[in-house]
Amino acid sequence: MGRTNINWQEIAMGIGKNRRKTIGFGKYSKKERQYEDEFYIRELSIIDGGIGCALWDAAIILTRFIYEHGHQLFQNQNILELGAGVGLPGICAGRFGEQVLLTDYMEPVVDNLTYNTWLNGEAQLDDLDDEQHAQHDDNEVEQKHTQSILSPKQKKMILLQNVKSRCKSFLLDWYQPEHLTNLEHNFDILLGSELTYTGSLETIKHLIRVIDTTIAEGGVFLEILSDDRDGVHAFLDLIVAPEMGYSYSIHKVPDKYMGNFCTNQLPETYKFYLLTKDPNSERFKEFQQCLGPVFTTNVEVPEVVLDIDAKKDLSFLSSLPESEVYKKREEIEWDSSVDK
């Protein structure tokens, strides 16, 4: 995960883990000793959860974006978080989305996703006033029409109820195609945080297959990646091959989302990667506008003669020379058309 000040021996042994970490939003009250709004996340030991055991900077950045634009971009959307780890971005999206599926490939991590969903939904609801809880519990139609007259506490209760009722955890191993057959539908929004942090071509190929299988018509895939990751260029070069049919934009992470992570990672440079098969869709344009100024990238991809349907079978990716996959992008243009 790049350079860190992390004591990996302590993480491996679980020291300091299996306890609640608070991620705050809004102003901090010294009197109340809490933020205006808070998420709570339980981490695991690296033995139990691998890299998905902990909360990383990239996931916090992605969550800050979702938190700011949730009502505009995520309202009533079907959302899939891939490689969710401890689940912070997906749980935040669960406050707004119609249905949110948090996925990972290790059972202890998936169990922890279920726990963190409970921690940020039902558990907090139980701590609030029982009378207000009963009045607004599961009454979504009335909630939508009375948002403007609800108190901040009541609005928070609705968001917590949304997480409770709409977030689910699911075991999804990218190397196991049969896992995809258990999904009920495709998704409007796919989320990912540092999914390609290694340069493994096999992992990247399977990730692309999962994206291509689960994204809905007009859907978008949004990932945040550090520039230091080995797999960034390989992933982008492969998925934007003409045969795949994806359009994309790359966005520098705004300064307002950076800093105060409390994860012991050393500073890194992050970018948002937005992909779609329908660049003319309103969803894609709205995401671009909210993400900010766009870097558009022209990538030369090796020509491959196909005798298969590339949408259904990505086996042709294995024929690409590794030297070509990692080829540097040669041209970066500044697109000021969405510069607000």
Side-chain angles (χ1 to χ4, degrees):
M1 300 297 297
R3 299 175 304 145
T4 70
N5 288 325
I6 295 171
N7 186 323
W8 289 102
Q9 183 178 8
E10 288 189 357
I11 288 184
M13 296 175 63
I15 298 174
K17 303 298 175 180
N18 296 301
R19 65 183 183 186
R20 192 174 76 179
K21 175 176 284 188
T22 300
I23 301 89
F25 288 83
K27 296 181 180 179
Y28 181 78
S29 170
K30 294 183 178 179
K31 180 180 180 180
E32 301 293 334
R33 300 177 64 182
Q34 64 182 19
Y35 291 91
E36 292 180 42
D37 196 2
E38 295 181 338
F39 291 83
Y40 309 118
I41 293 296
R42 183 179 71 177
E43 296 180 316
L44 302 173
S45 72
I46 198 169
I47 294 176
D48 291 328
I51 293 297
C53 71
L55 183 62
W56 304 101
D57 294 358
I60 297 175
I61 296 169
L62 181 57
T63 303
R64 289 170 177 172
F65 171 78
I66 296 169
Y67 188 89
E68 179 178 1
H69 299 287
H71 287 291
Q72 178 180 353
L73 299 178
F74 295 85
Q75 195 79 30
N76 302 323
Q77 302 295 294
N78 289 315
I79 302 163
L80 172 66
E81 184 178 9
L82 298 171
V86 294
L88 180 61
I91 289 170
C92 182
R95 290 185 169 193
F96 313 101
E98 183 68 25
Q99 179 186 11
V100 181
L101 197 60
L102 296 89
T103 67
D104 216 297
Y105 74 103
M106 298 180 65
E107 290 188 3
V109 174
V110 175
D111 290 342
N112 194 50
L113 284 171
T114 301
Y115 176 83
N116 282 336
T117 297
W118 171 83
L119 196 59
N120 290 278
E122 184 176 355
Q124 291 191 53
L125 280 170
D126 290 343
D127 290 338
L128 296 175
D129 183 78
D130 289 338
E131 180 179 350
Q132 290 190 25
H133 183 186
Q135 180 179 353
H136 296 286
D137 190 15
D138 293 322
N139 192 1
E140 297 183 7
V141 175
E142 182 179 351
Q143 289 169 0
K144 292 178 181 178
H145 291 286
T146 59
Q147 282 273 1
S148 60
I149 60 174
L150 295 178
S151 69
K153 183 177 180 180
Q154 291 171 323
K155 290 181 179 179
K156 176 67 177 293
M157 292 174 68
I158 292 174
L159 297 177
L160 296 175
Q161 175 60 35
N162 290 346
V163 172
K164 174 186 175 182
S165 62
R166 300 175 184 179
C167 284
K168 307 296 181 185
S169 303
F170 184 78
L171 184 70
L172 178 58
D173 186 338
W174 305 341
Y175 283 73
Q176 303 296 327
E178 61 272 16
H179 286 184
L180 296 173
T181 63
N182 296 324
L183 298 178
E184 296 180 357
H185 52 73
N186 289 356
F187 295 85
D188 305 309
I189 301 171
L190 276 62
L191 298 173
S193 171
E194 301 274 45
L195 299 181
T196 52
Y197 61 88
T198 72
S200 168
L201 291 182
E202 281 300 308
T203 299
I204 291 171
K205 287 185 289 183
H206 287 291
L207 170 61
I208 291 174
R209 176 179 56 80
V210 170
I211 294 170
D212 208 52
T213 303
T214 58
I215 194 168
E217 182 177 354
V220 297
F221 170 67
L222 176 63
E223 182 176 13
I224 181 170
L225 285 166
S226 165
D227 291 349
D228 294 338
R229 303 296 172 257
D230 293 335
V232 175
H233 297 310
F235 170 74
L236 188 61
D237 289 351
L238 291 176
I239 199 167
V240 301
E243 296 81 8
M244 298 303 302
Y246 283 94
S247 299
Y248 73 98
S249 57
I250 305 174
H251 304 253
K252 181 182 180 296
V253 173
D255 291 340
K256 62 182 177 181
Y257 298 145
M258 300 297 294
N260 195 28
F261 298 125
C262 301
T263 61
N264 292 325
Q265 280 187 253
L266 295 180
E268 298 183 49
T269 301
Y270 293 92
K271 290 186 177 68
F272 288 118
Y273 292 76
L274 180 68
L275 295 105
T276 186
K277 286 197 170 184
D278 184 4
N280 295 317
S281 71
E282 289 301 318
R283 183 181 291 114
F284 183 69
K285 293 176 182 179
E286 287 180 356
F287 266 84
Q288 282 188 315
Q289 292 173 353
C290 291
L291 288 167
V294 178
F295 288 100
T296 57
T297 308
N298 296 329
V299 183
E300 292 185 11
V301 181
E303 294 184 1
V304 180
V305 179
L306 296 178
D307 57 1
I308 56 176
D309 182 357
K311 181 178 180 181
K312 301 300 181 182
D313 186 346
L314 304 183
S315 60
F316 76 93
L317 296 177
S318 62
S319 66
L320 294 177
E322 188 166 340
S323 60
E324 292 292 339
V325 171
Y326 281 91
K327 183 174 52 181
K328 296 287 187 180
R329 292 189 292 275
E330 297 179 352
E331 183 178 351
I332 297 180
E333 298 175 350
W334 177 258
D335 182 355
S336 60
S337 62
V338 295
D339 189 359
K340 296 295 181 182

